[in-house]
Amino acid sequence: MRKTVAVGMVGCGFYAQNHLHAWSDLGAEGAVLSAVCDRDPARAEAAGAKFGVPHFTDMNAMLDKVGIGLLDIATRMDTHRELAAIAAERGVPAVVQKPFAPTWEECIAIVEKARKHQAWLAVHENFRFASAMRAVKKVLTQGTIGTPTWARLSWRTGFDVYRGQPYLAEEEKLVIQDVGIHILDLARFFLGEVAHLSCETQKRNPKIRAEDTATIMMRHTSGAVSVVEATYGAKRGDDPFPETMLEIEGDGGSLILTKGEKMTVTTQGLTFEDQVGGPLLHWTSRPWHVSQEAVLHTNRHMFERVRDGRPADTSGEDNLKTYALVEAAYEAARSHAAVKPAIWLPQA
Ligand code: NAD
Ligand code: 89V
């Protein structure tokens, strides 16, 4: 008998539409979208009607009425601590969208609450689940370019991100906390943990509150060096939004990912090219399709790990290591000095 997991969607706003479509597609695999919740009644009703499930405006009411096996919390970060605490106290597995929380201290509080209640907790850090990133990881894991020693991960766009996410213009911390967080996670995913980093930020758009450009240099514990860069202020003709461009050099070759999810691998004097992006789906559209298909793969990962009683790759505890890089980058930008990322140690 195939084991199913009833999914409850919390937050039915801009980005949650991708989560909802992905859960709808995953129904055939056993992840059954069973209820939706948004404190905005119109959004809750619209999502319930579109996906044919009961709708609620309060998460507790939804959990009281519907047996939920996995909560997908796609609200904004200021609500994550409260909602994740309810899930932990009720023993319901939960995945929360990035950023985990507004501060390092709140991220730790969320993780420690889940540990206290032995609750399953993950972060929907989905860039590493995109098809192109899985292809890059496969090349690295196979050892095709040897041991990675240097990398540049670049996310540079002039796309109007503020139209779909107007709150970004008002954030006190922007490009590192919103998208740098994804690229820093990729740097960990490909090159391992970080010993120390330096960072410079810029605010190049006078119409927004916080930094829209960051350039981060990291020394990994492996000895590798990476450069992570992100901006919403690029002015370029061939804008790759929302793709991550990257170059990874190893002691046996190199791997380059360019616009259109084209991967070029060079090893032993030979060069191979491949298109490594995922296909357009019935509910995805350019240019967001790169991000949207990553949601499908991320949701599948979360469903399968809950079903099988295993932690997610991007568990709450894992995401603390990425969030520590975010915090270190802001500190380095303030001090103009190299900073060691904080380390969280579980309470005894
Ligand atoms: P949004 O404001 O459009 O949607 C959030 C929704 O949550 C709103 O409809 C709001 O009414 C609802 N909500 C808030 N508190 C609630 C509560 N207590 N109970 C139920 N519903 C509640 O925001 P958005 O742009 O969709 O972003 C949501 C999150 O997704 C953010 O953290 C953002 O950083 C993240 N995001 C991630 C990606 C990605 O994974 N690549 C892309 C875009 C946005
Ligand atoms: O993917 C995200 O987290 C969005 C972005 C604008 C970077 O695409 O916030």
Side-chain angles (χ1 to χ4, degrees):
M1 175 72 175
R2 182 188 66 179
K3 184 179 176 185
T4 61
V5 174
V7 176
M9 189 76 229
V10 184
C12 301
F14 169 74
Y15 200 71
Q17 303 310 309
N18 301 312
H19 289 240
L20 287 160
H21 278 293
W23 288 127
S24 182
D25 279 5
L26 290 169
E29 299 177 32
V32 182
L33 182 64
S34 300
V36 296
C37 170
D38 196 296
R39 66 185 176 194
D40 178 328
R43 287 183 170 183
E45 185 176 357
K50 184 171 183 179
F51 293 93
V53 295
H55 64 275
F56 298 83
T57 55
D58 175 78
M59 190 173 89
N60 271 307
M62 177 174 76
L63 293 172
D64 290 342
K65 293 282 193 322
V66 183
I68 297 295
L70 172 59
L71 277 169
D72 183 6
I73 301 172
T75 58
R76 287 172 48 204
M77 63 180 170
D78 59 321
T79 63
H80 291 172
R81 182 175 181 179
E82 174 199 1
L83 297 174
I86 294 170
E89 288 162 358
R90 296 181 71 135
V92 182
V95 51
V96 298
Q97 251 293 350
K98 49 58 67 178
F100 205 175
T103 67
W104 171 246
E105 292 73 20
E106 286 172 274
C107 294
I108 289 173
I110 296 172
V111 167
E112 291 184 344
K113 181 80 168 180
R115 281 175 62 88
K116 176 183 175 184
H117 294 276
Q118 297 181 321
W120 190 95
L121 174 70
V123 175
H124 204 283
E125 174 38 68
N126 53 48
F127 272 39
R128 65 163 71 184
F129 290 98
S131 294
M133 299 307 151
R134 304 315 271 193
V136 170
K137 183 67 175 179
K138 185 176 179 182
V139 169
L140 298 181
T141 304
Q142 289 172 339
T144 309
I145 65 168
T147 302
T149 53
W150 182 91
R152 176 176 177 242
L153 298 95
S154 178
W155 198 94
R156 309 192 73 81
T157 191
F159 183 85
D160 182 8
V161 295
Y162 308 102
R163 190 169 66 176
Q165 299 168 250
Y167 55 85
L168 292 177
E170 303 304 324
E171 297 286 9
E172 291 182 1
K173 298 185 285 186
L174 179 56
V175 80
I176 301 172
Q177 180 146 269
D178 187 66
V179 68
I181 200 166
H182 291 303
I183 317 306
L184 290 165
D185 189 71
L186 287 175
R188 286 187 55 228
F189 187 48
F190 296 141
L191 283 84
E193 304 310 335
V194 173
H196 57 263
L197 62 79
S198 57
C199 175
E200 293 296 334
T201 57
Q202 297 163 283
K203 177 178 172 298
R204 300 192 292 166
N205 178 347
K207 298 176 185 172
I208 63 172
R209 184 174 184 182
E211 91 284 355
D212 64 352
T213 301
T215 306
I216 304 167
M217 184 168 69
M218 305 199 292
R219 171 73 75 177
H220 294 259
T221 55
S222 67
V225 172
S226 66
V227 176
V228 166
E229 54 185 52
T231 187
Y232 294 135
K235 294 176 172 56
R236 50 185 58 197
D238 200 17
D239 195 309
F241 178 87
E243 296 179 41
T244 304
M245 307 288 99
L246 62 83
E247 309 166 54
I248 302 176
E249 295 180 355
D251 55 14
S254 66
L255 181 158
I256 298 174
L257 192 62
T258 50
K259 186 175 187 302
E261 300 177 293
K262 176 184 161 189
M263 180 166 74
T264 304
V265 175
T266 299
T267 181
Q268 298 173 7
L270 299 173
T271 295
F272 307 89
E273 292 184 354
D274 197 2
Q275 293 296 127
V276 291
L280 277 175
L281 305 172
H282 66 95
W283 53 273
T284 66
S285 59
R286 298 180 186 283
W288 279 98
H289 65 293
V290 172
S291 178
Q292 291 169 317
E293 71 109 24
V295 171
L296 178 65
H297 300 312
T298 307
N299 285 15
R300 178 178 289 115
H301 176 84
M302 300 300 168
F303 154 63
E304 291 176 346
R305 292 299 172 93
V306 167
R307 180 197 62 195
D308 301 343
R310 296 171 57 203
D313 287 353
T314 56
S315 66
E317 294 186 21
D318 174 79
N319 196 256
L320 286 180
K321 295 174 185 174
T322 295
Y323 202 97
L325 300 182
V326 171
E327 288 283 284
Y330 282 117
E331 174 53 34
R334 277 191 292 271
S335 64
H336 302 297
V339 172
K340 293 181 180 180
I343 296 173
W344 169 78
L345 296 172
Q347 293 172 341

